[in-house]
Amino acid sequence: MKPLHRRGLLAAGGALALSGCGRGRAEASDPQTSDLQDTAAEPHSGPPPGLKTLAGFPIGTCVSSGLAEDAAWSALAMSQCSQVTAEWEMKMESILRDDGGFDFSRADRIADFARRAGVRLFGHTLVWYAQNPPALKRIDGDRKAFDNAVRNYILAVAGRYRGQAVAWDVVNEAVAEHGEGLRDCIYSRNLGQEDYMLLAFQYAREADPDAVLLINDYNLEITPAKRATFMRLVERLLKRGAPIGGIGTQSHIDIHLKPGAIRTAMRDLASLGLPIHVSELDVSLRGDRMDFRPREQKLAAQAERYREMIGAFLELPAAQRFAFTTWGLRDKDSWLRRPPNAGDGTDAPLPFDDGAHAKPAFWALADALRG
Ligand code: XIL
């Protein structure tokens, strides 16, 4: 599990390999003055429009099997969204049993929800350095067994949802924390630093010839050096024949991110020419600095980050707008409200509040989509 404020640990920038990159975390705006740039949201009333009906591209949220069976959540999701991503129940930790067999019970409940709701299913994720289950750890060091296990796993999982999952995050979070190269993990140690990714993409393609296969990572807006490393990795993998059909930028950001950083990142990422998935957007009210502004001002600042994200996404050529996903809908369902990320329990990173009322962040999205 990653710590919440990964970016808080980051050293400033580093040399940029790509010209035109934005600047690093250390240059985020001063919370005391940035209010001036964060215009208060227009007053909005009435029932919130469905974002999915306003957008010309899929609008997603993450989902758990519990939420999928919660009537209030389902109604909200079905009014707003045209795509769902399993928050954790399609990860290896949920599917791979101790005895090496597979447990699809929770993943299937999510797939069933997507089918019933008539929304796209987005698969997340096949290969991830984190939360490795015991059955994978047991074969650490045995290259052949490890390769077989990874291939069997990917064939089983992506194969099971073939024809339903429109896409998969095949490789998640492969770049090292600060962007200084690739992450050392159980996969890289057993199958090679970059080779494991190539294999994972090949196995995913074997499992599902039609799904769009993506590589997904975080802090790409916050840490230009990491973005540069990520982009070079994608280029190398493509050159080696990996069937990468899109890139995911998780976009777990906070209200202190400097205005302009999102747009710079989006343009930069778009230069690869691949479809882009804003895959896990949330905008924390916290951050790694003291911020004594009243909550309303923080919510207005949050709406500005949402506005910049959707605006930058809308500026992409239509063919590059893969989908726009928030990591939840209601604040109370956010991973930033659960241990170990809960903090003081007051964070509110999503477009709807605990009672499912639309926040300024929601209206920023709706207004941008309405043009
Ligand atoms: C998080 C979930 O939100 C948590 O509930 C879970 O326990 C850990 O993972 N990047 C990712 C997601 O790719 O899978 C993570 O989801 C959040 C960060």
Side-chain angles (χ1 to χ4, degrees):
M1 166 102 47
K2 297 171 307 305
L4 166 57
H5 289 299
R6 295 172 292 214
R7 55 201 169 279
L9 303 171
L10 300 176
L16 303 186
L18 294 161
S19 60
C21 286
R23 287 174 294 174
R25 180 76 190 93
E27 294 171 77
S29 58
D30 179 347
Q32 308 309 322
T33 56
S34 62
D35 290 350
L36 301 173
Q37 302 150 19
D38 294 321
T39 49
E42 298 280 320
H44 289 91
S45 56
L51 296 180
K52 69 173 184 187
T53 60
L54 301 176
F57 45 83
I59 297 286
T61 179
C62 65
V63 64
S64 64
S65 55
L67 282 179
E69 287 149 21
D70 170 307
W73 183 90
S74 300
L76 179 65
M78 286 164 74
S79 69
Q80 294 298 328
C81 299
S82 44
Q83 178 175 298
V84 289
T85 304
E87 187 171 357
W88 67 82
E89 289 156 308
M90 288 188 173
K91 292 174 179 168
M92 194 183 266
E93 63 150 356
S94 175
I95 291 176
L96 187 61
R97 292 195 317 238
D98 278 7
D99 65 2
F102 304 125
D103 175 359
F104 287 110
S105 54
R106 290 173 295 271
D108 281 354
R109 281 161 68 191
I110 289 177
D112 287 347
F113 169 78
R115 215 174 286 120
R116 280 197 315 275
V119 299
R120 308 204 314 176
L121 177 66
F122 185 88
H124 175 79
T125 174
L126 296 173
V127 167
W128 190 25
Y129 79 95
Q131 299 178 344
N132 295 311
L136 190 74
K137 286 186 190 155
R138 260 198 312 273
I139 49 173
D140 191 3
D142 182 342
R143 192 197 181 283
K144 200 164 180 345
F146 197 92
D147 187 20
N148 277 336
V150 170
R151 179 165 178 273
N152 286 340
Y153 177 81
I154 292 177
L155 289 182
V157 179
R160 187 175 184 87
Y161 301 106
R162 176 176 170 180
Q164 188 183 4
V166 292
W168 277 95
D169 282 331
V170 176
V171 174
N172 195 34
E173 306 188 339
V175 177
E177 182 70 23
H178 305 272
E180 70 290 6
L182 301 180
R183 197 183 287 282
D184 175 56
C185 64
I186 195 169
Y187 293 94
S188 63
R189 286 194 299 274
N190 283 278
L191 301 177
Q193 224 208 0
E194 207 166 286
D195 292 357
Y196 83 85
M197 302 185 218
L198 193 59
L199 289 171
F201 273 99
Q202 285 165 354
Y203 298 154
R205 178 50 78 233
E206 192 181 341
D208 186 338
D210 300 316
V212 180
L213 306 179
L214 291 93
I215 181 166
N216 191 47
D217 221 315
Y218 65 90
N219 279 1
L220 303 180
E221 298 83 7
I222 294 165
T223 312
K226 182 166 186 176
R227 183 167 73 241
T229 302
F230 176 78
M231 292 176 66
R232 283 195 302 264
L233 170 65
V234 174
E235 283 171 336
R236 284 197 307 276
L237 288 170
L238 284 170
K239 216 172 267 165
R240 294 181 66 187
I244 299 178
I247 52 178
T249 175
Q250 292 183 8
S251 307
H252 294 292
I253 58 176
D254 71 47
I255 56 172
H256 303 123
L257 182 61
K258 182 176 170 143
I262 292 170
R263 221 170 224 104
T264 302
M266 193 72 79
R267 288 185 186 147
D268 216 3
L269 292 171
S271 69
L272 287 170
L274 291 166
I276 295 181
H277 186 197
V278 173
S279 57
E280 305 179 16
L281 174 63
D282 51 19
V283 182
S284 173
L285 302 184
R286 291 180 267 163
D288 52 359
R289 61 179 62 200
M290 300 300 274
D291 183 347
F292 299 107
R293 286 178 291 180
R295 196 168 170 89
E296 286 66 37
Q297 282 184 31
K298 291 185 182 177
L299 292 175
Q302 177 182 65
E304 290 311 310
R305 301 290 86 74
Y306 271 91
R307 195 186 309 282
E308 186 176 336
M309 187 64 81
I310 192 76
F313 192 76
L314 283 165
E315 284 163 17
L316 295 172
Q320 284 187 267
R321 293 178 215 144
F322 181 79
F324 191 92
T325 297
T326 58
W327 211 230
L329 294 169
R330 304 176 303 197
D331 288 330
K332 68 175 179 182
D333 303 317
S334 169
W335 70 310
L336 303 184
R337 283 280 189 88
R338 295 194 294 269
N341 298 323
D344 65 3
T346 65
D347 207 350
L350 294 170
F352 292 90
D353 70 13
D354 291 1
H357 302 112
K359 294 164 58 188
F362 171 85
W363 292 109
L365 296 177
D367 287 348
L369 290 172
R370 284 195 284 229

